[in-house]
Amino acid sequence: MAEPILKVSGLYAGYDGIPVVFDASLEVMPGELVAIVGANGAGKSTIMRTICGLMHPLKGSVLFEGADISTLPANRTVKLGISYVPEGRRIFAKLSVEQNLALGAYAEDSKTEVKRRVEEILQIFPVLRERARQIGETLSGGEQQTLAIARGLMSRPKLLMLDEMSLGLMPTMVEKMMETVIGINKAGTTILLVEQMVQETLEIAHRGYVIQSGNIVQSGTGRELLDSPDVRKAYLGM
Ligand SMILES: Nc1ncnc2c1ncn2[C@@H]1O[C@H](COP(=O)(O)OP(=O)(O)OP(=O)(O)O)[C@@H](O)[C@H]1O
Ligand SMILES: [Mg+2]
């Protein structure tokens, strides 16, 4: 059996010592596309922030490729191969698309290597090439989200964590984003996805976890969760 690339065990995480995530355990295998779905305030972003080292577990552990990264800061986990694209399309508003991308590879010292990666990314996202010199804040919402994901790939992550990338996008754009994510995953990057768009997300995820008020209440393949009466009732309005 292959080892999980990410293994979260018995995780308690929260703010000012007060947990908002309780005893969460989840695994991601190499090459998988795994989703965490749940309502507003359920604790999805807290789990992601704790995995990438922006926060640290109150209890429990986070293993990445078998090594305990629970206490590492985010600038170390990015070097190990974890890239976190936070919710809210946080791009640099005053910098160009190219400059935004280059900053995504900040851990890379070689300028030629950074240039090479920008070129590679522009190949994958033609919409960004058209706007390479355009200032971040002048991009449309969908373009900004594309840029945020593209920047997340600039560090060549083994694990890409995408937080609520569909938020505020129109349905056709959401569909495009989902296709982009499938493409990135098929090209070899393991993905952990957090979404409120439960149906759309479970349709593309290999496996998923459902989180409710800080507790993981269900897990299974995307299909199993889509077919689950509890999930359908709670999230799909059926
Ligand atoms: N910086 C913070 N300080 C205190 N409490 C926080 C902080 N950030 C989040 N919380 C609380 O932790 C809980 C979980 O929040 P979290 O952001 O992880 O939820 P989420 O599932 O990502 O929600 P959403 O779908 O709205 O993004 C919420 O009750 C929230 O109010
Ligand atoms: Mg969130």
Side-chain angles (χ1 to χ4, degrees), residues 151-162:
R151 193 181 59 191
L153 284 172
M154 283 290 295
S155 62
R156 288 268 173 81
K158 295 172 188 164
L159 174 68
L160 178 66
M161 298 200 297
L162 299 172

Side-chain angles (χ1 to χ4, degrees), residues 39-46 48-49 84 86-87 163-164 167 194-196:
N40 281 126
K44 305 180 297 295
S45 298
T46 302
M48 287 210 153
R49 287 186 207 119
Y84 173 50
E87 59 195 348
D163 196 342
E164 216 94 56
L167 199 67
V194 151
E195 275 292 340
Q196 286 184 44

Side-chain angles (χ1 to χ4, degrees), residues 175-215:
E175 223 167 90
K176 266 198 182 155
M177 284 295 157
M178 296 293 175
E179 276 163 24
T180 302
V181 167
I182 293 174
I184 294 168
N185 179 245
K186 288 216 162 116
T189 307
T190 306
I191 295 181
L192 182 60
L193 192 64
V194 151
E195 275 292 340
Q196 286 184 44
M197 293 269 189
V198 175
Q199 168 113 27
E200 292 80 352
T201 307
L202 291 179
E203 276 171 3
I204 69 163
H206 297 128
R207 287 189 307 111
Y209 294 86
V210 181
I211 181 165
Q212 241 168 49
S213 314
N215 294 285

Side-chain angles (χ1 to χ4, degrees), residues 96-172:
S96 72
V97 166
E98 270 177 341
Q99 288 168 325
N100 264 281
L101 288 176
L103 282 170
Y106 68 89
E108 174 59 54
D109 293 328
S110 156
K111 277 207 175 121
T112 36
E113 172 61 19
V114 172
K115 257 185 126 169
R116 226 179 52 70
R117 286 194 202 175
V118 169
E119 185 48 41
E120 189 183 288
I121 290 289
L122 293 179
Q123 205 88 34
I124 304 174
F125 302 97
V127 58
L128 295 181
R129 184 188 294 284
E130 283 165 36
R131 311 196 174 273
R133 300 269 148 80
Q134 200 169 317
I135 300 302
E137 66 185 359
T138 65
L139 298 178
S140 75
E143 290 162 355
Q144 288 187 26
Q145 187 58 66
T146 306
L147 176 57
I149 296 173
R151 193 181 59 191
L153 284 172
M154 283 290 295
S155 62
R156 288 268 173 81
K158 295 172 188 164
L159 174 68
L160 178 66
M161 298 200 297
L162 299 172
D163 196 342
E164 216 94 56
M165 52 161 201
S166 70
L167 199 67
L169 298 182
M170 54 192 268
T172 56

Side-chain angles (χ1 to χ4, degrees), residues 20 36 166 202 221:
V20 298
I36 304 175
S166 70
L202 291 179
T221 65

